[in-house]
Amino acid sequence: MKLELIRGDIANQPDMDAIVNAANAQLRTGGGVAGAIHRAAGPGLEEECRPLAPIQPGQAVITGAHQLPNKYVIHCLGPVYGRDKPSDKLLAACYKNALKLAEEHRLRSIAFPAISTGVFGYPLDDAAEVAVSTIQEMTGTLEHLETIRMVLFSERDLQAFHRQVAGK
Ligand code: ADP
């Protein structure tokens, strides 16, 4: 399994089987990642999401990708930092549950944004530590996934993830 770190837009990862949405509980469009994904997917995505909502912090659900170039969207509800506790366990559950869904669907590639680090206020370095360590812990259980890509929006976010992978 290869863990890639890139700077980019989660809604523009055409070579990935699935992209992960940093969703809200209602699985509606919004700002940040959810807005970018729903805009690119078109209204069919919200329609498919409606009967699956609401979801709980740490939970993940899978849908089709509609007008996106991927096969699936996996929607994760990250913890709101300082409100949904324990935040680290809930954030780790997002990554675990998303990876489990990807495995169940025999996907070979998945791209994640930095869940909870935008509007939900999770400190970047702490979120990067949880994300990288959870992915590394799950590696031994993955049979189908070959590529896990973290898509970071800013250079600062990318550097924070690089530091975690380097163990610094
Ligand atoms: P949350 O509500 O889980 O905090 P956000 O969408 O507000 O989710 O932000 C999560 C992270 O994704 C933030 O670091 C934000 O800068 C980043 N981000 C925003 N838009 C995009 C995008 N189109 N592609 C990748 N990352 C994005």
Side-chain angles (χ1 to χ4, degrees), residues 7-13 21-24 30-37 39 76-80 91 112-122 124 151-154 156-157:
R7 191 171 167 193
D9 178 356
I10 192 70
N12 185 22
Q13 303 299 322
N21 183 12
N24 48 66
V33 168
I37 288 178
R39 267 195 304 281
C76 292
L77 180 60
V80 175
L91 185 59
F112 285 92
I115 299 169
S116 283
T117 66
V119 174
F120 285 1
Y122 210 115
L124 181 62
V151 180
L152 291 321
F153 211 43
S154 71
R156 182 174 153 266
D157 296 2

Side-chain angles (χ1 to χ4, degrees), residues 1-2 17 71 98-110 138-148:
M1 194 281 293
K2 189 168 60 157
D17 287 342
K71 293 185 185 139
L99 292 172
K100 276 187 202 157
L101 280 174
E103 279 292 320
E104 283 166 22
H105 288 76
R106 301 171 174 267
L107 306 186
R108 295 204 311 204
S109 53
I110 184 171
M138 290 284 287
T139 302
T141 71
L142 306 175
E143 289 177 38
H144 305 284
L145 279 170
E146 293 166 3
T147 305
I148 300 176

